[in-house]
Amino acid sequence: MSKIRFLKMILLPLVIALMVTGSVYYYIETVESNKVHEDEFIEAVVAARGIPAKTVLSEEMLELKKIPKKLYDANSLVKLKEAVGEITTVPLAKGEIILKSKLAVNKEKLGLSYKIPGNLRAVTIGINEVTGVNNHVEPGDFVDILATFSEDIAGTEKTRLILENLLVLDASRESGKTLTLAVTPRQAAVLTFAEERGTIRAALRPVVGARDVGSVEVTKEDFQNKATPDYHWKEQLRLQITVIEADPDVLRGLNINQTEQVAFHELPKDLMEELLAGIEQKKAKILDQADLTTLEGEEAVYALEEKIPLYDYFEGERFLNWYNYGIRLNINPTVYKNPVLDITIVPKAQIVELAEDKDKATPHVLIREARSVERINVTEMVIISGLLRPKDFMMPNNGVTRYIIPKQQITDELKEGKRELIIVLYPLLDRR
C-alpha cells in the first residue's frame, strides 16, 4: 500500500474521528460547567435605583436579579409583591438586595411615626389619674375626649364631648403622665385649643359595642331646679328597606290598589311572607335591598339613584351640570316606651326626560314627593306605593330618553307596565 493511500484510508478518518470526539466532549463539559454555574445563583429583589430611608416602595423602584447563593440571606425578598408598599427604614443603594430587616415590616420595634395611620397626626395631651381613667388606658385602645370651658370662652360654663373614637398610640406613666393620640389635622387643632383654654378628660371606650353619639353638651342650666340632667339613652332602630316589583294580583292580596298619588300602607309584618311567596312564584322580584341603622330622632337616608352629566347654556356659555334621577327616602323615627314608633317618611322620585335637539339635550325634570308620619308598633311595617308608576317606565316614541332608576334595576315587566314598584320599610328595634 502506498503511503498516500494509507493516509487517505486510515490516518485521515482517524484524525477526523478524534476531532469530533473532542468537540463533543468539550460541548458536554461546557454545558455541565454552565449548569453548575447557574445552580450557584438565585433570584432576589434588588433596588433598581438609590432609595432614601422612609420611602414607600413602588414596583418601578425594584427589579428581580440573579445573585450568588452565598449572598442570599433568609431575610432576602424573592418576589416583587413582597416589597411593594413597604417602607424603607434605611437608605438603599442601586443594586442592593432588599432585606426584611431594612423595611418597616415590624412597626412595633420602630419609631412612633411608623405607627401613625395614614393621613393622621400624633398629638400628646397631659393627664393624671382622674383625667386619664386611672391609668387604665393602653396603646391600641380608643378614647373619647370631653372638654370643660369657662363662660368667657363658650358664652356659658359648659362641658362638651368634642372628639370621639381616637386611637391611643402611646400611654406614658413615668414622670409626666401623657396620652399620645392619632388625630386628623383639624382634630389636632380642636384638641390643642381645648387643652390650652379649658380642661380635658379622656373617656375609655369598650372593645366592642361602642357607638358614636355625636354632640353631647352640659351647661349649668341643666342642673338648676333638678338633681341631675334629664338625659335618656336613645333607642337604636334598624330599617330594612326592600324595593320590589309585583304583579297587580300580589298587591291586591295585600289590599294595595294602584293610585296616581303616593300612598302609605300600615300592614302586619307577617304579610311579608306573602310578598316572599310571590317572589318564589315569579310574580314579584326584589330590585334592591338595604339595611339602615339610626337612633331615634336622627334621620336615615336610603337612595336608589344615579347621575347623568348634561350641559346647560347661559348667555352663550356652556356649563356642565349633573342631574340626579331615581328614588330617595328620608326617614326619621321617634320611639316610645310601649314600644310604638312614629316614623316620619319623606319619599321622593325624580325622573329626568331628555329631548334631543341637534347638538344639545334639553332636560325636563319631574319630581314626585310626599310626606307622612306613620304610627306603628313593632309588629307592623310600612309599604309605599305610587311613588313610581308603571307608565313611568314606558318609554315615549318621540325621541325622548327617560331616566327613572338605575337601568340595571329596570326589568322587562316594568318597561311594559305589567308590574308596579313598591318600597317596604321593615323596622326593628335594637336595644343594647
Side-chain angles (χ1 to χ4, degrees), residues 31 55 73 118 145 174 182 190 200 203 250 279 300 331 351 377 411 428:
V31 170
T55 299
D73 186 280
I145 300 295
E174 302 304 322
V190 171
I200 59 176
V250 173
I279 292 168
I331 308 161
I351 302 169
N377 61 42
T411 65
L428 296 166

Side-chain angles (χ1 to χ4, degrees), residues 29-144:
E29 285 295 313
T30 302
V31 170
E32 290 297 324
S33 175
N34 288 340
K35 186 176 179 181
V36 172
H37 186 67
E38 287 179 2
D39 288 344
E40 293 177 353
F41 285 80
I42 192 168
E43 204 170 52
V45 182
V46 302
R49 61 172 186 258
I51 303 173
K54 298 185 178 180
T55 299
V56 180
L57 293 176
S58 60
E59 193 165 346
E60 58 268 18
M61 298 178 185
L62 308 166
E63 62 181 356
L64 288 172
K65 192 173 182 180
K66 289 184 177 180
I67 62 171
K69 269 190 174 181
K70 62 184 179 180
L71 297 180
Y72 178 76
D73 186 280
N75 288 319
S76 300
L77 301 183
V78 295
K79 295 180 181 178
L80 289 175
K81 65 180 182 180
E82 294 177 330
V84 172
E86 298 293 345
I87 304 172
T88 60
T89 57
V90 295
L92 300 174
K94 181 179 179 180
E96 185 172 350
I97 301 169
I98 307 296
L99 302 177
K100 291 180 183 178
S101 57
K102 298 177 182 180
L103 304 177
V105 177
N106 189 353
K107 298 179 178 61
E108 296 303 318
K109 297 180 180 179
L110 300 171
L112 180 63
S113 61
Y114 291 95
K115 302 177 186 178
I116 304 173
N119 203 34
L120 297 184
R121 310 291 189 269
V123 172
T124 299
I125 58 173
I127 57 168
N128 56 38
E129 284 81 357
V130 175
T131 61
V133 201
N134 197 26
N135 296 331
H136 288 297
V137 183
E138 301 287 345
D141 287 338
F142 289 83
V143 296
D144 298 338

Side-chain angles (χ1 to χ4, degrees), residues 113-342:
S113 61
Y114 291 95
K115 302 177 186 178
I116 304 173
N119 203 34
L120 297 184
R121 310 291 189 269
V123 172
T124 299
I125 58 173
I127 57 168
N128 56 38
E129 284 81 357
V130 175
T131 61
V133 201
N134 197 26
N135 296 331
H136 288 297
V137 183
E138 301 287 345
D141 287 338
F142 289 83
V143 296
D144 298 338
I145 300 295
L146 298 107
T148 300
F149 299 103
S150 60
E151 185 173 353
D152 63 316
I153 297 297
T156 182
E157 289 182 295
K158 66 176 59 175
T159 296
R160 176 184 294 173
L161 179 64
I162 59 170
L163 296 171
E164 294 184 89
N165 204 25
L166 301 182
L167 171 65
V168 179
L169 297 172
D170 189 46
S172 172
R173 301 185 183 89
E174 302 304 322
S175 56
K177 297 181 175 65
T178 60
L179 288 182
T180 301
L181 309 173
V183 293
T184 66
R186 176 166 177 77
Q187 288 174 332
V190 171
L191 192 57
T192 301
F193 181 87
E195 188 173 30
E196 293 290 334
R197 303 302 299 274
T199 57
I200 59 176
R201 177 174 297 203
L204 181 63
R205 295 169 69 101
V207 173
V208 295
R211 60 186 181 190
D212 291 351
V213 297
S215 178
V216 175
E217 186 175 280
V218 178
T219 67
K220 61 184 179 182
E221 284 77 17
D222 290 307
F223 292 91
Q224 293 175 352
N225 302 321
K226 58 182 78 171
T228 58
D230 186 19
Y231 293 113
H232 70 282
W233 188 261
K234 292 183 177 182
E235 295 279 9
Q236 181 170 279
L237 192 75
R238 288 194 298 125
L239 292 167
Q240 293 178 354
I241 310 295
T242 308
V243 181
I244 299 176
E245 61 164 43
D247 288 351
D249 60 333
V250 173
L251 299 180
R252 282 194 293 269
L254 300 173
N255 202 26
I256 296 175
N257 298 316
Q258 186 175 342
T259 65
E260 289 296 309
Q261 303 296 326
V262 180
F264 301 86
H265 314 268
E266 297 176 13
L267 298 175
K269 281 183 177 179
D270 54 17
L271 289 182
M272 192 68 181
E273 297 297 326
E274 291 193 24
L275 276 172
L276 296 176
I279 292 168
E280 291 180 0
Q281 298 164 11
K282 308 298 183 183
K283 294 182 178 181
K285 182 179 180 180
I286 294 175
L287 301 182
D288 193 51
Q289 284 185 301
D291 197 352
L292 307 181
T293 302
T294 187
L295 298 176
E296 60 172 287
E298 297 185 11
E299 188 174 71
V301 178
Y302 166 77
L304 182 62
E305 293 181 323
E306 280 194 356
K307 294 182 178 182
I308 52 173
L310 289 176
Y311 286 101
D312 286 340
Y313 294 84
F314 179 73
E315 295 183 352
E317 296 291 332
R318 191 170 75 159
F319 300 93
L320 179 64
N321 275 334
W322 290 85
Y323 283 78
N324 283 328
Y325 66 91
I327 56 179
R328 173 179 289 258
L329 297 182
N330 293 69
I331 308 161
N332 197 318
T334 302
V335 183
Y336 300 100
K337 294 188 181 296
N338 287 349
V340 174
L341 316 177
D342 274 353

